Amino acid sequence: MMDAVRLYCRYVGVSVRAQMQYPASFVMMTIGMFAVTAVEFAWVWALFSRFGTLQGWALPEVALLYGMVHIAFAVAEAAARGFDIFHRQVRGGDFDRILVRPRSTVLQVIGMEFQLMRVGRLAQALLVLVWAVAALGVRLTLGRALLLVASILGGGFLFAGLFVLQATLSFWSVESLEMVNMATYGGVEAGQFPLSIYRPSFRNFFLFVIPLATVNYLPALAIAGKTDPLGFPVWLQWASPLIGILFFLMSLLVWQVGVRHYTSTGS
Amino acid sequence: MAPLPQVIVENLAKTYRIAKRRTGFLGALGGIARREYHLVRALTGVSFELEPGELVGYIGPNGAGKSTTIKILSGILVPDSGRCQILGKVPWRERAAYVGQIGVVFGQRSQLWWDLPVVDSFDLLRDIYRVPPARYGQSKDTLVQALGLAPLLDVPVRQLSLGQRMRCELAASLLHAPRLLFLDEPTIGLDAVSKLAVRDFIRELNRQRELTVILTTHDMDDIEALCHRVMVIGRGSILFDGTLDRLRASVSPERRLIIEVPPELPLPELALPAARVVKREGEQVHISFDPRVVRPAQLIGELSASLPLRDLYVVNPPIEEIIAKLYGVFDL
Amino acid sequence: MKPYLSVLRIRSLVLLQYRMAAFAGMCTQILFGWVRVMILEGFYTSSTALQPMSYAQAVTYIWLGQAMLRMLPWDGDLEIQAMIRKGDLAYELCRPLGLYEHWFARAIALRTAPTLIRALPVFAFAFFLLPGPYRMQPPPGWLEMGAWVLTSVGALLLSAAITNIINISMLWTISGEGVLRLLPALVLIFSGMIVPLPLLPEWSQAVLRFLPFSGLVDTPSRFYLGHLPVSQLPGYLGTQLAWTGLLVALGRWLLHRGMKRVVVQGG
């Protein structure tokens, strides 16, 4: 296990060094990403300045959701980038190379690239989150702070799990990847706003199929000290990180099925 | 008790299911879910054994099942049926443990990190294969010296020429001291000098380290320069397995007699039915004959009686022609 | 003209083959559209103030954008990218076609063929299958319909010109990567895909009007709705065509410079 962690760190180091070959372009790209995501948030702000509230949610509360989901997504995009771009590897036959090396496929794929540029999105989301917590006017107790950090981690695992599922799908067909993309980007999009504004079928989707609400909406209620208009039990608000990790572990099982399919068809 | 063969392959079979694409506007629009398949039998029963230290050439036309065999042997692909035991393991069943003991070079794909200096790739491979530091240092130094890599180590891989890169690829696949090496078209696209360097290195490697090597290639010079034993695959099964000389004999027993005569001299009709002139280039005249019917001495005797021979020698026909003939015999 | 038309036809045929991708993409577009509509519903029901655009109009605006999503210049031509990366441009130069025009014809195919197979099902879904408050509405009259068709053609040309800028920027490895990542984000944000542009603050309207991106989604959608009177058609169509002309000129200039670079480098 420690050995695997050490190898992962080596992979990250190598990847970062490769990206730092062009420092100027890296800085430009990061700033660009920061600016683009900042404008995205400005649009949310514009909607609030026009409509006032969103079904009883004020801007700082929605900003909390926004910050949490985007930080989680940025972390997953940086760390699990290897799975995100995996379809290219499969197509080029580079997965063969991974199979002839004596390490787990998951470790090797995840080590393929650590996308440092995502600090642009991360920084922007972090700023929004800090502002949100300050503007909320709730006391950030140790419990709440821990829950915040843990649910962001859980969210990172959940998005990483989605990337793993997307990569798994590409063992069969690279054409249908958009399906998972839909869940991922749709999840980010939907997660920026409170679950309660969506129709029940959508709520159930984000609770039970891709449990994004459990690492975003539910813990955010606990952190912001809001009562849940949907009436879910309070313990669920605190269980979120576990659910994200569970989702990730399950996606790894599905991945193994994909690898088995690949080794029996060689497609 | 004699040691067991290092590689045992018995009756490997593999069939692929390939989806058909439909063409035309209507075909494209119609039926998202419906798909038709056809079956491709890539391997129909491949068997062979390799002893430690053998260097075997594995050849065959495209689509004959070469790369399917290599993929199964290197643990990438699971066969439909058949047995395979390499270094005491079943490749696809104990993948991680097995592949730590083999090395693989895919000539068309790189295993090095594109944007990084070569030495960084080597270091990363050390960690991936868990090579102990002392052994790694030694192994790296030997390879760097043997392949002349010293000036390349700090160059990013993307800046290397193909020949330089292939030398680095070879080193990369040997850092962990594998006992079995798969070389899949290692000389493809290389210039003549690099080809020679790669061949020399492989030959030395096989000799000094007693490393077993399976080489697939389309370049018959590779085979001629390196392999004592050749396996030819076609249509999913092994058509021939034996020495290069036997391959020549089995396909065509012909030999070539090359004589040198003044270029303007008219040639006499040969009285021997099994010999004929195949080519005349300047002073050289190539005469093909079947040694089972015509003894070389007989042929030379007859020629020297009627012609002022300046020089003469007997050679084997070029291997390309043999292989082309072999494929012709089996209608590949 | 004829060779370009046949490039257009052949590329369209090829692109129409990706049926799974089309189906997956369609689902994505419907889901995204629905999420956005629900978010807008949440905002509209939170305020009684008069808005620059009615809720029903905003819903139709969103669906128009989603149905025509593939027409947006949100990616480049993958085959051209691969060709540039492999250094196979020499073949392209051997053809008796203008390189810019050839790529432009391909870009038109790339922006129309996938749109054709996806737009109709999305429209059908948005018109008939959704619950009442989320449904799309037909245009108020034939004039508006005609204005929509015309400005959609304008949007297509504009989109192909931007697509070609993305293609051409790939001649510069590093900057190309930046353009490929940032330009699509700008397109989404400033075209009206994320939030209907009329809902953004008053002071930003003039800027948005004269950026090239509003011509892609906002202009056709608002003519469809009758939100822009048909009498203003010449002005808006003029803006689309002026930007197209400008971007084509920029693209040609960049291509000229880029090819010189490539030839000098011997790539």
Side-chain angles (χ1 to χ4, degrees):
Chain A
M1 186 61 198
M2 271 326 286
D3 192 36
V5 171
R6 198 164 52 232
L7 180 58
Y8 178 70
C9 293
R10 290 273 305 147
Y11 272 130
V12 172
V14 161
S15 180
V16 166
R17 221 169 330 143
Q19 289 167 70
M20 280 306 181
Q21 298 242 314
Y22 310 98
S25 109
F26 169 76
V27 170
M28 295 278 287
M29 204 91 102
T30 308
I31 293 174
M33 283 297 219
F34 181 88
V36 166
T37 47
V39 178
E40 243 175 63
F41 184 71
W43 274 200
V44 176
W45 166 83
L47 285 172
F48 271 95
S49 76
R50 186 167 287 288
F51 293 97
T53 74
L54 177 59
Q55 310 258 315
W57 286 66
L59 181 59
E61 291 162 347
V62 169
L64 177 67
L65 290 174
Y66 180 100
M68 285 169 72
V69 76
H70 278 275
I71 293 174
F73 189 53
V75 169
E77 265 190 316
R81 168 79 173 165
F83 282 101
D84 192 14
I85 55 171
F86 182 71
H87 56 276
R88 294 187 217 155
Q89 313 287 321
V90 161
R91 232 187 213 170
D94 284 346
F95 190 57
D96 290 355
R97 173 56 64 198
I98 284 176
L99 285 174
V100 297
R101 286 184 178 152
R103 288 306 184 105
S104 88
T105 52
V106 172
L107 182 60
Q108 291 188 71
V109 173
I110 221 162
M112 229 147 30
E113 190 175 335
F114 182 89
Q115 210 186 13
L116 203 56
M117 194 186 61
R118 297 296 167 185
V119 295
R121 186 197 284 276
L122 186 79
Q124 185 265 347
L126 206 60
L127 277 181
V128 171
L129 186 78
V130 169
W131 174 79
V133 171
L136 272 174
V138 292
R139 220 166 56 80
L140 194 64
T141 59
L142 182 66
R144 280 175 171 164
L146 282 177
L147 178 61
L148 182 62
V149 173
S151 52
I152 287 173
L153 264 177
F157 272 109
L158 192 139
F159 282 119
L162 282 169
F163 285 134
V164 172
L165 291 179
Q166 173 189 322
T168 307
L169 199 59
S170 62
F171 283 125
W172 279 270
S173 151
V174 284
E175 276 188 53
S176 43
L177 292 184
E178 234 180 298
M179 283 291 215
V180 187
N181 252 315
M182 160 178 88
T184 314
Y185 289 91
V188 176
E189 178 89 13
Q192 297 171 22
F193 296 98
L195 189 72
S196 52
I197 67 166
Y198 302 114
R199 286 174 67 81
S201 53
F202 277 77
R203 286 183 215 152
N204 289 336
F205 181 79
F206 287 117
L207 278 167
F208 302 113
V209 183
I210 291 162
L212 187 66
T214 63
V215 292
N216 189 44
Y217 172 77
L218 292 175
L221 287 169
I223 293 159
K226 267 179 103 73
T227 45
D228 185 2
L230 302 174
F232 282 101
V234 173
W235 64 263
L236 202 55
Q237 299 176 354
W238 292 84
S240 59
L242 285 177
I243 294 167
I245 292 171
L246 218 62
F247 185 85
F248 181 70
L249 292 177
M250 267 159 65
S251 75
L252 291 185
L253 288 180
V254 180
W255 166 257
Q256 294 306 333
V257 176
V259 172
R260 219 166 302 139
H261 172 81
Y262 182 88
T263 56
S264 73
T265 60
S267 51
Chain B
M1 197 176 80
L4 284 171
Q6 202 170 28
V7 178
I8 306 173
V9 175
E10 263 176 36
N11 257 322
L12 282 188
K14 183 79 200 169
T15 302
Y16 297 116
R17 225 163 59 116
I18 312 260
K20 284 182 195 162
R21 264 200 191 290
R22 262 170 287 177
T23 48
F25 261 106
L26 285 178
L29 286 172
I32 283 168
R34 265 190 308 148
R35 272 188 164 183
E36 284 171 48
Y37 293 95
H38 58 100
L39 298 178
V40 176
R41 300 183 70 193
L43 297 183
T44 54
V46 166
S47 308
F48 59 83
E49 289 182 357
L50 298 184
E51 302 297 333
E54 272 199 276
L55 202 172
V56 60
Y58 193 49
I59 58 178
N62 285 326
K66 241 180 341 185
S67 64
T68 302
T69 318
I70 298 297
K71 279 185 176 182
I72 292 174
L73 264 49
S74 54
I76 295 169
L77 201 59
V78 183
D80 296 339
S81 61
R83 200 168 78 91
C84 185
Q85 184 136 29
I86 306 179
L87 306 171
K89 295 195 172 64
V90 178
W92 57 89
R93 218 161 277 152
E94 304 150 85
R95 190 187 65 81
Y98 167 69
V99 296
Q101 300 185 48
I102 63 167
V104 186
V105 174
F106 296 114
Q108 317 224 43
R109 272 183 246 135
S110 181
Q111 59 182 318
L112 305 167
W113 278 256
W114 196 242
D115 282 321
L116 292 175
V118 175
V119 69
D120 285 3
S121 285
F122 287 179
D123 288 350
L124 198 51
L125 286 167
R126 171 198 61 199
D127 295 343
I128 291 174
Y129 284 92
R130 300 186 177 96
V131 187
R135 223 184 74 199
Y136 170 73
Q138 198 187 359
S139 177
K140 189 174 87 174
D141 291 347
T142 318
L143 288 165
V144 165
Q145 220 208 337
L147 285 158
L149 301 183
L152 306 179
L153 284 179
D154 293 318
V155 181
V157 174
R158 65 185 137 78
Q159 290 173 13
L160 297 178
S161 75
L162 200 55
Q164 293 171 330
R165 212 194 72 204
M166 185 47 66
R167 274 148 56 202
C168 296
E169 300 275 352
L170 280 170
S173 62
L174 291 165
L175 285 168
H176 58 289
R179 291 163 64 194
L180 174 63
L181 181 64
F182 293 93
L183 296 172
D184 191 10
E185 308 208 25
T187 56
I188 193 162
L190 298 192
D191 60 273
V193 178
S194 305
K195 271 185 188 174
L196 288 182
V198 166
R199 275 179 208 143
D200 283 347
F201 175 73
I202 295 172
R203 194 183 304 116
E204 280 305 296
L205 192 70
N206 172 250
R207 217 169 47 93
Q208 290 179 356
R209 295 206 192 178
E210 285 256 301
L211 177 69
T212 313
V213 180
I214 299 180
L215 167 74
T216 74
T217 182
H218 282 293
D219 187 335
M220 292 310 154
D221 292 340
D222 288 347
I223 300 285
E224 200 137 23
L226 292 172
C227 306
H228 313 286
R229 177 175 165 193
V230 186
M231 296 192 291
V232 182
I233 185 171
R235 294 251 180 91
S237 59
I238 304 271
L239 303 176
F240 173 87
D241 182 353
T243 61
L244 199 53
D245 289 340
R246 248 194 61 219
L247 174 63
R248 282 205 174 89
S250 74
V251 176
S252 131
E254 93 166 19
R255 286 287 155 82
R256 292 266 168 101
L257 174 67
I258 301 176
I259 53 172
E260 288 185 6
V261 292
E264 64 283 359
L265 203 72
L267 291 177
E269 278 294 309
L270 289 170
L272 299 160
R276 63 197 166 82
V277 174
V278 286
K279 196 159 71 173
R280 182 168 189 179
E281 264 176 1
E283 297 190 329
Q284 288 195 338
V285 180
H286 295 234
I287 297 166
S288 153
F289 66 98
D290 184 342
R292 291 170 306 185
V293 183
V294 186
R295 279 182 301 113
Q298 202 182 346
L299 182 63
I300 294 166
E302 188 186 321
L303 286 167
S304 58
S306 56
L307 287 170
L309 296 186
R310 287 183 188 163
D311 199 357
L312 65 91
Y313 34 94
V314 178
V315 295
N316 290 318
I319 184 161
E320 272 88 355
E321 284 180 21
I322 307 259
I323 296 297
K325 247 187 204 158
L326 183 74
Y327 293 173
V329 168
F330 290 98
D331 191 25
L332 292 174
Chain C
M1 201 59 194
K2 204 160 161 258
Y4 302 110
L5 286 179
S6 95
V7 166
L8 179 61
R9 196 179 58 85
I10 290 166
R11 281 303 296 163
S12 301
L13 274 174
V14 170
L15 289 165
L16 283 177
Q17 294 209 336
Y18 298 107
R19 281 163 287 147
M20 268 307 283
F23 180 72
M26 230 170 58
C27 296
T28 313
Q29 282 156 247
I30 288 170
L31 184 105
F32 264 73
W34 203 344
V35 165
R36 293 223 166 95
V37 167
M38 284 188 289
I39 293 167
L40 281 181
E41 186 197 24
F43 275 112
Y44 271 94
T45 51
S46 305
S47 162
T48 50
L50 191 66
Q51 302 301 341
M53 186 176 235
S54 75
Y55 169 65
Q57 280 180 322
V59 169
T60 302
Y61 185 108
I62 294 282
W63 284 122
L64 280 168
Q66 284 302 327
M68 309 294 273
L69 176 76
R70 279 282 149 166
M71 219 170 81
L72 287 179
W74 64 284
D75 64 354
D77 190 319
L78 289 178
E79 283 183 25
I80 292 178
Q81 282 172 32
M83 207 162 56
I84 292 174
R85 217 169 286 144
K86 278 196 237 138
D88 290 344
L89 271 179
Y91 293 116
E92 289 292 286
L93 292 173
C94 297
R95 285 177 212 212
L97 297 172
L99 195 53
Y100 185 88
E101 290 76 9
H102 179 197
W103 287 5
F104 193 83
R106 286 179 63 104
I108 296 263
L110 180 67
R111 300 281 82 111
T112 44
T115 310
L116 279 180
I117 36 175
R118 290 174 198 206
L120 282 180
V122 176
F123 277 138
F125 194 86
F127 267 113
F128 304 114
L129 295 177
L130 280 171
Y134 307 122
R135 255 187 220 172
M136 183 179 177
Q137 304 299 322
W142 288 106
L143 267 180
E144 285 79 6
M145 184 76 189
W148 176 63
V149 171
L150 278 180
T151 46
S152 290
V153 174
L156 171 65
L157 295 175
L158 182 56
S159 174
I162 298 177
T163 303
N164 230 3
I165 297 269
I166 299 179
N167 289 339
I168 292 162
S169 68
M170 297 313 287
L171 291 170
W172 289 264
T173 319
I174 310 289
S175 336
E177 182 80 356
V179 171
L180 189 65
R181 282 174 189 269
L182 293 179
L183 194 58
L186 292 180
V187 165
L188 286 180
I189 290 173
F190 291 109
S191 64
M193 272 310 289
I194 294 179
V195 176
L197 297 187
L199 294 181
L200 295 176
E202 286 304 325
W203 55 263
S204 65
Q205 294 298 324
V207 183
L208 293 169
R209 158 84 172 85
F210 288 105
L211 282 178
F213 307 110
S214 59
L216 294 167
V217 176
D218 187 65
T219 303
S221 301
R222 282 164 74 190
F223 276 108
Y224 175 101
L225 292 167
H227 194 261
L228 285 171
V230 178
S231 61
Q232 292 207 30
L233 185 60
Y236 278 84
L237 207 52
T239 313
Q240 283 179 327
L241 293 178
W243 269 116
T244 306
L246 214 68
L247 290 168
V248 167
L250 175 68
R252 281 175 180 283
W253 181 73
L254 284 175
L255 184 61
H256 180 72
R257 292 203 34 180
M259 288 312 286
K260 250 202 230 152
R261 250 183 100 243
V262 172
V263 171
V264 169
Q265 286 186 346

